[in-house]
Amino acid sequence: MMVPACHPIATTHFQTANRGISTMFMKLTSGPAGSTRQSTMEGTGFADSRQQEAGAVAQRQTVGESFVADPRMTARDVAVYYGDKCAIRSISIDVGCNEVLAMIGPSGCGKSTFLRCLNRMNDTVPGCRVTGEIRLDGEDIYAPSVDVVPLRARVGMVFQKPNPFPKSIFDNVAYGPKIHGLTRTKAELEEIVETSLSKAGLWEEVKDRLQEPGTGLSGGQQQRLCIARAIAVSPEVILMDEPCSALDPIATARIEDLIAELRLQYSIVIVTHAMQQASRVSQRTAYFHLGDLIEVGPTERVFTNPRHRLTEDYITGRFG
Amino acid sequence: MNNNAQPPVCCDTPGRSLSERIGRDLPRRYRAEKRFRRLGLTAIVVALSFLVFLFGSIIGSGYSAFRQTYVELAVTFDESAFTSENLAAADFPGLVKQSLRTMFPEVEGRAALKNLYRIVSPSAAYTLQDMVAENPKLIGTTQRIWVLADDDVDMLIKGQISGAGEEANRRLKDDQLAWITTLRDQGRIETRFNTTFFTAGDSREPEQAGIRGAVMGSFYSLLITLLLSFPIGVMAAIYLEEFAPDNILTNVIEVNINNLAAVPSIIFGLLGLAIFINFFGMPRSTPVVGGLVLTLMTLPVIIIASRAALKSVPPSIREAALGIGASKMQTVIHHVLPLALPGMLTGTIIGMARALGDTAPLLMIGMIAFIVDIPSGFTDPATALPVQIFLWADSPERAFTEKTSAAIMILLAFLIAMNATAVFLRKKFEIKW
């Protein structure tokens, strides 16, 4: 099923986009969904009002407010290649202090890839190459002189699937402070464990069984344990890669409350598939599409009044 | 979203419901499953029956080796025999012969006496010597002493050979059979638990041959193998799996390690002979060389098993550790290694079990020599369990048949024990998540 050539936007898109993207796009639009999409587009008649943005769609330039006045992290022209394949292109965005930046977008759009650039977790992927510049507090984290070990302590990460170590709850949280030598006495360590677990909202539930294995907790508790583990080393930024995708709605709600509290002390970047979650927890939202950063803006504005057609299509559920 | 899509049309033959279409096919699918299960069950039964046959034949022919026939002699330690200061210089074989003559005074003639003396083992003289050395007060007294029977007598008592048939074709002659019957009637022949088998080294006389020398030789060899191959293998696996860059060199190394694991073991024996003995001039027939050769043979197995164990550690654990700022080494030591350890131990023990059972490389470095003494160190000449089995299986004496089977039982017992240890260690260190 081909997209009809009479449609101006689709045509421009196909002519300019590179070949890999066009095949991916065809996958998206082929089949019954494609026909529906075409009909809804024509039904709304939005082509008239947004005709002027067709060029922007073709070039996929970021619209909205990518930069903030007082950034904690800045990314400029970041591109990531896996071997020859370009995963994300020319991403420029700031992460502000004490804000939650949500990154949304369809699967495979590169938001997780970009997130993993922020603490250089992509270094562990063979064949992965990062270009551009990412700064944390003004310091280039990809500079040759930068050691990833302290960097990852400053930029903590919470993963999609809860991954506590197969050790006791106490050891899970204490591991970071221990390897970084943050404490001198056992009492200090215990205090860090307690405050971290309290911040993660887990202390009351586990204070009597700190020596039990962390893997014995429920999924939501495990994820909060992972958050406690991340904040035990007092990071400046916390990266969360779909932290609630494996959790039920109640556990998700707890984590979201927790994120709101953590924002007061940390900068948080969260990748999420749930747009409601992004709208609930974040102050700014960035929309990624097929390796491009399409739109950035205050969450409320992005969700109520998206400026880019792709953003609107996504948040209104037309594809993705 | 799909508001104008047609309801799904799935049937190419309209008028037939889905369950009918499936139902028509269902008996065939169940038949296929039944057939498959029956085939699997047959395979298990065939494999098990082979195993039962193997164990049955080995145990059936070997269990009798754990009992040994003894003959009671009334030995007079005549003072005239102990004229010299040196007690060991006394004619102990003479004492044995004399006691036999006293028991059967009617026997005359050189050939008949020779047959009579053959009823007890040549080791009887050493038994007497040991007793006198331990307690010189025995001199001048008459003692009733149980000594080892000759292997032919032992075979007869155990029913492995019979007294029937042409005399010339028999190991035991008619007069010997008569004496044995007499001794039996007097209660002077009995079978006891065969401690000699577990405490003695090899011997040309089956009744004196024991497994201990071979067990100790195998023990020292395997100790060397374990001490060298486990740390080297695990380190190599960790480096290759966790740290090595992915380039042509590491690929070549990987292919060669896999090839080495499949190289016939006798090649390693030749290699050991050329390098350790000819080039480095290490002593022949020793557990140290045997252990080194077996190390070469076991290393690839351990490396491959350890790499597989490291690979099976979920990447989420690595990410978790790296994500809070653990260095590569901390990640490996603190998190990956403990999770991979059970698999590594299993691979190591299976490699060690293979090394324990391997004969060919040891032949090449001279551990097939006939060695009576029990080795007391890494550089004493020794043989090993499988080589001992090979040697005994090659011996013509009828009594070595049961010894061979018994030695195989010992070897199997060690192998089963080692594999059980592997299972136990895996269960013990396995961490569930």
Side-chain angles (χ1 to χ4, degrees):
Chain A
M1 159 103 205
M2 293 297 295
V3 174
C6 61
H7 199 287
I9 297 173
T11 316
T12 354
H13 176 87
F14 266 80
Q15 281 163 351
T16 49
N18 73 30
R19 214 177 148 145
I21 287 175
S22 68
T23 42
M24 284 170 79
F25 199 77
M26 275 170 73
K27 275 184 201 148
L28 275 176
T29 54
S30 62
S35 62
T36 323
R37 184 174 125 74
Q38 181 206 342
S39 59
T40 43
M41 275 178 185
E42 282 164 1
T44 52
F46 80 121
D48 300 333
S49 58
R50 307 256 167 92
Q51 198 73 279
Q52 68 274 19
E53 274 192 21
V57 174
Q59 288 163 18
R60 301 267 195 83
Q61 274 166 349
T62 309
V63 299
E65 307 85 20
S66 295
F67 309 122
V68 296
D70 177 25
R72 176 128 260 164
M73 297 193 82
T74 59
R76 295 291 178 272
D77 269 334
V78 174
V80 178
Y81 301 87
Y82 293 120
D84 295 333
K85 192 177 155 277
C86 183
I88 54 175
R89 270 177 305 273
S90 190
I91 307 283
S92 296
I93 191 171
D94 284 351
V95 180
C97 293
N98 298 359
E99 73 161 3
V100 178
L101 171 66
M103 303 204 286
I104 58 172
S107 294
C109 67
K111 52 197 190 305
S112 288
T113 299
F114 178 67
L115 188 78
R116 292 166 63 94
C117 290
L118 297 179
N119 69 344
R120 290 184 61 176
M121 279 302 276
N122 278 336
D123 289 14
T124 60
V125 181
C128 176
R129 196 158 50 84
V130 180
T131 62
E133 186 187 74
I134 299 177
R135 287 177 182 277
L136 172 64
D137 296 330
E139 180 193 2
D140 185 0
I141 64 169
Y142 278 90
S145 60
V146 167
D147 189 350
V148 293
V149 167
L151 169 72
R152 287 181 190 147
R154 290 167 69 191
V155 184
M157 189 150 188
V158 177
F159 296 88
Q160 182 172 6
K161 201 177 146 233
N163 55 354
F165 300 128
K167 297 173 188 269
S168 73
I169 294 170
F170 183 91
D171 287 343
N172 260 287
V173 183
Y175 183 70
K178 257 189 213 163
I179 57 167
H180 295 302
L182 300 183
T183 56
R184 246 168 279 135
T185 62
K186 200 160 179 282
E188 275 180 28
L189 190 64
E190 281 166 1
E191 198 191 316
I192 286 192
V193 170
E194 183 181 340
T195 48
S196 305
L197 283 169
S198 305
K199 279 185 196 166
L202 197 59
W203 177 249
E204 286 303 319
E205 291 160 57
V206 301
K207 66 180 173 190
D208 298 324
R209 44 177 181 147
L210 289 176
Q211 294 311 319
E212 286 176 32
T215 44
L217 296 172
S218 75
Q221 288 174 324
Q222 286 190 16
Q223 195 61 296
R224 277 181 280 149
L225 178 63
C226 293
I227 294 175
R229 182 177 66 190
I231 58 186
V233 291
S234 314
E236 298 164 36
V237 183
I238 302 175
L239 310 176
M240 297 188 177
D241 192 355
E242 297 179 42
C244 301
S245 64
L247 304 182
D248 68 37
I250 296 166
T252 302
R254 293 214 56 168
I255 303 263
E256 287 178 5
D257 292 345
L258 176 58
I259 291 171
E261 286 168 32
L262 292 176
R263 175 174 79 87
L264 305 175
Q265 289 171 27
Y266 309 98
S267 298
I268 295 173
V269 184
I270 179 169
V271 165
T272 177
H273 270 300
M275 282 175 284
Q276 289 82 359
Q277 183 173 60
S279 65
R280 282 192 298 264
V281 301
S282 69
Q283 282 69 55
R284 285 166 71 234
T285 296
Y287 173 66
F288 283 71
H289 186 87
L290 298 178
D292 290 298
L293 177 58
I294 302 297
E295 180 162 359
V296 188
T299 299
E300 211 186 315
R301 205 269 296 147
V302 170
F303 278 97
T304 53
N305 185 23
R307 292 189 190 156
H308 201 290
R309 188 183 58 76
L310 286 169
T311 316
E312 178 174 320
D313 283 355
Y314 184 70
I315 64 174
T316 54
R318 285 195 195 108
F319 69 86
Chain B
M1 191 165 164
N2 250 334
N3 45 11
N4 59 352
Q6 294 296 313
V9 181
C10 72
C11 302
D12 48 349
T13 47
R16 232 199 215 113
S17 77
L18 184 66
S19 64
E20 254 177 74
R21 275 157 50 84
I22 294 176
R24 199 183 46 194
D25 217 24
L26 218 47
R28 192 182 57 78
R29 281 155 64 178
Y30 283 135
R31 267 203 309 281
E33 186 181 325
K34 250 187 206 153
R35 200 162 53 231
F36 187 75
R37 282 165 69 161
R38 249 186 251 128
L39 277 175
L41 202 64
T42 317
I44 297 269
V45 168
V46 169
L48 271 185
S49 54
F50 276 123
L51 205 63
V52 166
F53 178 73
L54 174 79
F55 275 79
S57 73
I58 289 172
I59 294 174
S61 61
Y63 79 97
S64 52
F66 296 114
R67 313 241 358 133
Q68 187 70 35
T69 308
Y70 283 76
V71 177
E72 191 190 43
L73 298 180
V75 182
T76 306
F77 292 99
D78 201 344
E79 275 163 353
S80 61
F82 297 94
T83 46
S84 146
E85 272 296 294
N86 186 2
L87 290 177
D91 181 19
F92 290 104
L95 291 176
V96 174
K97 286 173 186 170
Q98 202 201 332
S99 72
L100 282 166
R101 279 200 304 274
T102 330
M103 233 185 295
F104 298 98
E106 72 280 8
V107 181
E108 277 172 8
R110 197 166 161 272
L113 278 172
K114 210 173 164 189
N115 278 347
L116 178 62
Y117 300 153
R118 275 215 196 115
I119 286 180
V120 299
S121 163
S123 72
Y126 299 111
T127 314
L128 300 191
Q129 185 183 337
D130 290 346
M131 286 179 74
V132 173
E134 201 178 295
N135 185 9
K137 284 179 192 159
L138 289 175
I139 297 168
T141 62
T142 300
Q143 299 287 330
R144 302 176 81 80
I145 298 166
W146 288 94
V147 297
L148 278 170
D150 189 67
D151 55 315
D152 291 326
V153 179
D154 183 45
M155 289 291 98
L156 181 80
I157 298 295
K158 287 176 182 166
Q160 307 267 17
I161 57 175
S162 74
E166 193 86 12
E167 189 183 9
N169 294 340
R170 273 191 264 122
R171 299 276 298 166
L172 290 171
K173 307 305 171 196
D174 285 344
D175 49 358
Q176 285 176 311
L177 290 174
W179 297 325
I180 290 166
T181 316
T182 313
L183 285 170
R184 227 176 171 173
D185 293 344
Q186 292 171 354
R188 292 184 155 211
I189 285 185
E190 66 175 39
T191 59
R192 299 179 181 177
F193 182 71
N194 188 0
T195 46
T196 315
F197 185 69
F198 295 99
T199 54
D202 198 8
S203 171
R204 293 285 185 223
E205 301 293 335
E207 72 273 13
Q208 294 178 53
I211 199 82
R212 190 177 169 87
V215 169
M216 292 315 285
S218 273
F219 171 76
Y220 287 123
S221 299
L222 284 190
L223 195 63
I224 296 253
T225 308
L226 181 67
L227 290 180
L228 289 175
S229 63
F230 182 64
I232 297 177
V234 168
M235 286 294 180
I238 289 176
Y239 179 77
L240 284 174
E241 197 57 41
E242 303 286 337
F243 295 98
D246 187 20
N247 57 25
I248 290 182
L249 185 68
T250 47
N251 282 337
V252 168
I253 290 175
E254 185 172 347
V255 168
N256 279 302
I257 287 174
N258 290 339
N259 280 340
L260 279 180
V263 165
S265 52
I266 196 156
I267 307 288
F268 287 107
L270 278 171
L271 185 74
L273 176 65
I275 293 181
F276 299 123
I277 294 179
N278 287 347
F279 187 73
F280 287 112
M282 291 169 119
R284 265 172 297 170
S285 310
T286 53
V288 62
V289 179
L292 287 170
V293 168
L294 293 176
T295 301
L296 292 180
M297 205 188 77
T298 315
L299 259 180
V301 178
I302 294 184
I303 294 177
I304 290 171
S306 301
R307 289 190 69 175
L310 286 169
K311 256 192 201 119
S312 69
V313 174
S316 66
I317 296 291
R318 279 172 239 262
E319 284 193 332
L322 290 173
I324 52 173
S327 68
K328 186 95 190 165
M329 203 193 78
Q330 286 171 324
T331 306
V332 171
I333 303 281
H334 295 165
H335 301 291
V336 178
L337 203 53
L339 293 175
L341 204 57
M344 290 177 167
L345 288 175
T346 310
T348 305
I349 291 175
I350 287 171
M352 296 296 292
R354 216 189 108 186
L356 172 66
D358 219 325
T359 325
L362 301 180
L363 305 185
M364 301 309 300
I365 56 152
M367 284 186 88
I368 195 174
F370 172 73
I371 291 148
V372 176
D373 292 328
I374 293 161
S376 57
F378 295 105
T379 50
D380 286 354
T383 184
L385 260 176
V387 182
Q388 187 68 76
I389 292 168
F390 176 73
L391 283 170
W392 281 349
D394 226 20
S395 299
E397 284 87 353
R398 182 69 178 78
F400 271 128
T401 314
E402 60 171 27
K403 296 259 188 273
T404 307
S405 294
I408 293 174
M409 282 157 73
I410 304 280
L411 183 63
L412 285 176
F414 273 111
L415 291 177
I416 290 171
M418 285 173 84
N419 286 332
T421 315
V423 172
F424 171 76
L425 287 175
R426 191 169 53 208
K427 283 265 176 294
K428 185 170 155 61
F429 288 113
E430 208 163 47
I431 303 168
K432 301 204 161 53
W433 66 86

